[in-house]
Amino acid sequence: MIAGACTVRVRYSDTDAMRVAHHTRHVAWFEVGRTELLRAAGYPYERLEGEGIGLPVIDMTLRFRAAARYDDLLRIETKVADATPVLVTFEYAIRRPTDDRLLATGRTDHAAVDMAFRRVRLPQSVRDVLTGEGFFDTAGAPC
Amino acid sequence: MIAGACTVRVRYSDTDAMRVAHHTRHVAWFEVGRTELLRAAGYPYERLEGEGIGLPVIDMTLRFRAAARYDDLLRIETKVADATPVLVTFEYAIRRPTDDRLLATGRTDHAAVDMAFRRVRLPQSVRDVLTGEGFFDTAGAPC
Amino acid sequence: MIAGACTVRVRYSDTDAMRVAHHTRHVAWFEVGRTELLRAAGYPYERLEGEGIGLPVIDMTLRFRAAARYDDLLRIETKVADATPVLVTFEYAIRRPTDDRLLATGRTDHAAVDMAFRRVRLPQSVRDVLTGEGFFDTAGAPC
Amino acid sequence: MIAGACTVRVRYSDTDAMRVAHHTRHVAWFEVGRTELLRAAGYPYERLEGEGIGLPVIDMTLRFRAAARYDDLLRIETKVADATPVLVTFEYAIRRPTDDRLLATGRTDHAAVDMAFRRVRLPQSVRDVLTGEGFFDTAGAPC
């Protein structure tokens, strides 16, 4: 299965009154992680949507271990944990390289659906990408 | 021209590291203000979209006078300032009733477009609603 | 244990390109649910923070069953599932009353911490509120 | 006065039901623009906050010229337009390099305040940076 890593910055608009990143942001960063992984592996999510297929989250777990602070650069590690014809599972870890702290981990399950949210089967071409080999590190690029 | 008021609560997810509402939230609250005004006046924005017409913001000004804090209940006052066949302008004031402070004011201009973002003319039925009379206070309802 | 319900509206700013509420929003609505429950039960979260205690999320699960659409009024049902001196667990269900659909369910675990994120014990007064009896329905009020 | 450019990606969580970036996001991208400019010029905003000084937005204008779409890479151009001892003004342009379209322009005015939101004077060291010379292009880096 493919895996990869990318980098996000904690923006001021990501923070809350505790002066740390609000926990909704980790959910958005997971989305950034899988988006950049798919792009790096050669099958951008935009292309999948162009083929009339979406991958909405149907189940999600997150564990928060330490707070992300304003202006932190975070490394989002993402891997495909499972990919059947109808379901894809990603796993994530969010780390802060400056002190090598693991900040959060999680998992998202996604159903393949058409644009009317009816369940469909994933094209074999996508499954081949998801179940391929390779580690894609785009940590130096904007995302 | 119609005018109205509704109420929003400052959520924890609206705050930032200064312990006040982030300034992006006022932009979202203006949107709540005009949405609730249109609904109260009898022409929900959802109905307009159902007719294939959108009203994206093309120009916006905001002035921030005092900070909104976590858990504040805010009164969003909205009025139609202009409504031509192709352009609608709303004006806003955000107040905190508990100390009668004016927190922010602003204005948004909106173009009438179809779902492909091409300029269109507004139906007369919508213009009649926008240019009608009435003050719609929904400050006690969820929004 | 206490339980309650409140109402949120799906705002345009909550939607995404699939024309449904983005899944980060359910996380924010869970926060609204527990905030309104604590307020209705007589111990607003703001008061807890005023005493130097926070309840950050340390673990979270969400299951998405059906999409929430623009302008839907949603009922957020929240209950305290567990409350020890150092940990509080809430459970949630998000329903759309107009068609009685269950849209999402979830759970959040919270650690009691001071403002420097060190673990502390919850005051007995808060635990008494959390473990009390009562169903608090504020579904008609802004939140 | 200093100026610079950085790059952001339109995330799925930035889009709305019109399948374009919601207009609140441009406000957040302006913040990214000035943050990266200050960092590149050698005076990170985090350092300013560490000295007890904030620069909240007190006035803002935005003009939207064309829609930003999902997955677009956007170039945020930011420049200091004015910097007095008590007020700083930034100007912005958001462009899409792939088709060289200008998507949005704007301006934000910021007051220098202490952490209790009382007006203060900016340290001369910050003013020297703001009124210095230089164009800082960090368009290839994460932000």
Side-chain angles (χ1 to χ4, degrees), chain C residues 22-43:
Chain C
H22 192 264
H23 62 289
T24 49
R25 306 314 299 149
H26 302 74
V27 178
W29 293 330
F30 284 180
E31 185 175 79
V32 170
R34 62 184 178 265
T35 300
E36 295 305 315
L37 176 57
L38 287 173
R39 184 198 323 285
Y43 214 104

Side-chain angles (χ1 to χ4, degrees), chain B residues 15-33:
Chain B
T15 61
D16 68 20
M18 285 286 275
R19 299 188 63 81
V20 300
H22 192 264
H23 61 290
T24 50
R25 307 313 301 148
H26 302 73
V27 178
W29 293 329
F30 284 180
E31 184 174 81
V32 170

Side-chain angles (χ1 to χ4, degrees), chain A residues 12-13 19 31 39 49 71, chain D residues 12-13 31 39 49 71:
Chain A
Y12 212 85
S13 57
R19 299 188 62 82
E31 185 174 81
R39 184 197 324 283
E49 277 210 333
D71 223 38
Chain D
Y12 212 85
S13 57
E31 184 174 81
R39 184 197 324 286
E49 277 210 334
D71 222 37

Side-chain angles (χ1 to χ4, degrees), chain A residues 7-9 11-13 19 25 28-29 31-32 35-36 39 44-46 49 70-71 73 139-143, chain D residues 7-9 11-13 19 25 28-29 31-32 35-36 39 44-46 49 70-71 73 139-143:
Chain A
T7 303
V8 295
R9 173 84 71 176
R11 301 170 179 177
Y12 212 85
S13 57
R19 299 188 62 82
R25 307 314 301 149
W29 292 330
E31 185 174 81
V32 170
T35 300
E36 294 306 316
R39 184 197 324 283
Y45 187 69
E46 196 186 24
E49 277 210 333
Y70 169 59
D71 223 38
L73 269 180
C143 70
Chain D
T7 303
V8 296
R9 174 83 71 177
R11 301 171 179 177
Y12 212 85
S13 57
R19 299 189 62 81
R25 307 314 300 148
W29 293 330
E31 184 174 81
V32 170
T35 300
E36 294 307 316
R39 184 197 324 286
Y45 186 68
E46 197 187 22
E49 277 210 334
Y70 169 58
D71 222 37
L73 270 179
C143 69

Side-chain angles (χ1 to χ4, degrees), chain A residues 67-133:
Chain A
R69 295 178 188 281
Y70 169 59
D71 223 38
D72 281 351
L73 269 180
L74 304 181
R75 178 178 170 87
I76 318 294
E77 298 172 356
T78 308
K79 67 176 174 185
V80 177
D82 198 13
T84 78
V86 295
L87 199 86
V88 182
T89 297
F90 294 93
E91 290 177 356
Y92 312 86
I94 299 180
R95 295 177 196 278
R96 181 170 47 213
T98 46
D99 63 0
D100 203 29
R101 287 288 292 275
L102 176 63
L103 304 187
T105 54
R107 180 190 51 75
T108 56
D109 295 336
H110 302 255
V113 301
D114 64 19
M115 290 296 120
F117 285 95
R118 287 174 300 234
R119 298 295 179 99
V120 295
R121 293 176 71 85
L122 278 177
Q124 186 61 37
S125 54
V126 185
R127 291 188 61 210
D128 288 347
V129 168
L130 293 167
T131 59
E133 292 299 318

